[in-house]
């Protein structure tokens, strides 16, 4: 990769919006009500970066007694909490400002449904910045760790995958970025670096560091 890239692709949860701690508590509490008591660390280990359909399958295998309508129920619980409490990841607006100033495109690719991103991106003031560039696993055949959502975002932007940088905070998402043939930066402010180090090309802890990693400031 020669920096700066032509396109930056962001995961949503944990990268643009600080939604994962809120969602994880809802999942932990819900599963406990259905007979599966696990810690927040275990919720993160098993489920972060995946889909709630995957959570349902794994939780049932672990002994949770989840009814057939569980997906609709858990989505409702999570959406209510996010609509009331979710905040943007610190520093993300500054990153987008610098990308705009440098004339470099960006988009979001998420394993979450569009309805979830509508809630989180609207509440945090990010939706307007990303209008027309919001991609969900609902738009593609396979969710992350398959590369589909990132390949779709790059194709619609008319950018070759080898000119794209993916910013991820989960191993599943990082694998998707690498499978797409993209350079992957791991955001580890809230993630154990050991989960991402074997997959990502580089790691960083603060969004304030991202413009420098992308070499944007040489364009100013």
């Amino acid at each position: 990769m020669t920096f700066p890239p032509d396109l930056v692709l962001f995961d949503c949860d944990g990268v643009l919006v600080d939604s994962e701690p809120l969602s994880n508590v809802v999942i932990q509490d819900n599963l406990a009500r259905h007979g599966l008591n696990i810690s927040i660390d275990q919720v993160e280990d098993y489920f972060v970066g995946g889909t709630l359909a995957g959570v349902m399958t794994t939780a049932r295998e672990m002994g949770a007694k989840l009814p057939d309508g569980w997906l609709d129920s858990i989505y409702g619980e999570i959406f209510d909490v996010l609509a009331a409490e979710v905040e943007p990841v610190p520093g993300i607006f500054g990153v987008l400002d610098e990308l705009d100033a440098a004339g470099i495109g960006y988009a979001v690719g998420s394993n979450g449904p569009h309805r979830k991103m509508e809630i989180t991106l609207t509440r945090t003031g990010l939706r307007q910045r990303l209008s027309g560039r919001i991609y969900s696993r609902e738009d593609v055949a396979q969710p992350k760790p398959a590369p589909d959502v990132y390949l779709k975002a790059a194709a619609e932007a008319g950018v070759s995958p080898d000119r794209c940088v993916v910013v991820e905070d989960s191993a599943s998402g990082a694998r998707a970025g690498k499978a797409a043939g993209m350079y992957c930066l791991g955001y580890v402010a809230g993630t154990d670096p050991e989960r991402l180090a074997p997959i990502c090309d580089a790691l960083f802890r603060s969004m304030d560091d991202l413009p420098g990693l992308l070499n944007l400031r040489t364009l100013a």
Side-chain angles (χ1 to χ4, degrees):
M1 168 66 72
T2 302
F3 290 93
D6 295 335
L7 182 68
V8 179
L9 300 173
F10 296 94
D11 178 41
C12 188
D13 296 301
V15 173
L16 295 176
V17 297
D18 195 16
S19 54
E20 287 179 345
L22 298 172
S23 298
N24 290 345
V25 169
V26 174
I27 291 169
Q28 181 192 36
D29 290 346
N30 182 287
L31 294 180
R33 297 199 306 270
H34 290 92
L36 179 62
N37 291 289
I38 57 176
S39 68
I40 285 294
D41 286 345
Q42 288 174 305
V43 172
E44 293 175 356
D45 288 341
Y46 294 137
F47 305 134
V48 168
T51 64
L52 282 174
V55 172
M56 185 175 185
T57 298
T58 302
R60 280 176 165 172
E61 292 171 351
M62 295 171 68
K65 307 299 183 184
L66 303 182
D68 290 341
W70 183 80
L71 272 179
D72 288 339
S73 174
I74 191 67
Y75 269 125
E77 290 182 35
I78 290 173
F79 289 173
D80 286 348
V81 170
L82 294 178
E85 300 182 37
V86 72
E87 298 293 338
V89 164
I92 192 62
F93 282 101
V95 171
L96 300 185
D97 288 344
E98 295 212 35
L99 287 168
D100 286 338
I104 292 172
Y106 50 87
V108 55
S110 175
N111 261 357
H114 279 289
R115 177 59 182 146
K116 182 179 182 182
M117 287 190 282
E118 175 78 15
I119 291 168
T120 60
L121 295 176
T122 297
R123 174 176 160 80
T124 56
L126 287 161
R127 185 176 179 276
Q128 188 171 2
R129 297 288 293 267
L130 291 155
S131 180
R133 297 173 286 178
I134 300 171
Y135 302 95
S136 163
R137 51 92 173 158
E138 294 175 325
D139 302 321
V140 294
Q142 296 292 329
K144 304 173 191 178
D148 300 28
V149 72
Y150 285 135
L151 290 174
K152 180 177 178 64
E156 296 209 359
V159 176
S160 173
D162 63 2
R163 295 298 306 147
C164 297
V165 168
V166 165
V167 183
E168 272 285 355
D169 73 325
S170 74
S172 175
R175 291 190 183 99
K178 296 305 293 181
M182 300 174 179
Y183 191 93
C184 188
L185 292 173
Y187 178 55
V188 295
T191 302
D192 183 349
E194 292 184 3
R195 297 179 185 174
L196 296 185
I199 309 166
C200 295
D201 295 288
L203 306 181
F204 69 105
R205 291 185 178 276
S206 170
M207 281 296 166
D208 293 340
D209 297 330
L210 184 54
L213 289 170
L214 297 173
N215 209 25
L216 300 184
R217 286 164 182 164
T218 64
L219 303 180

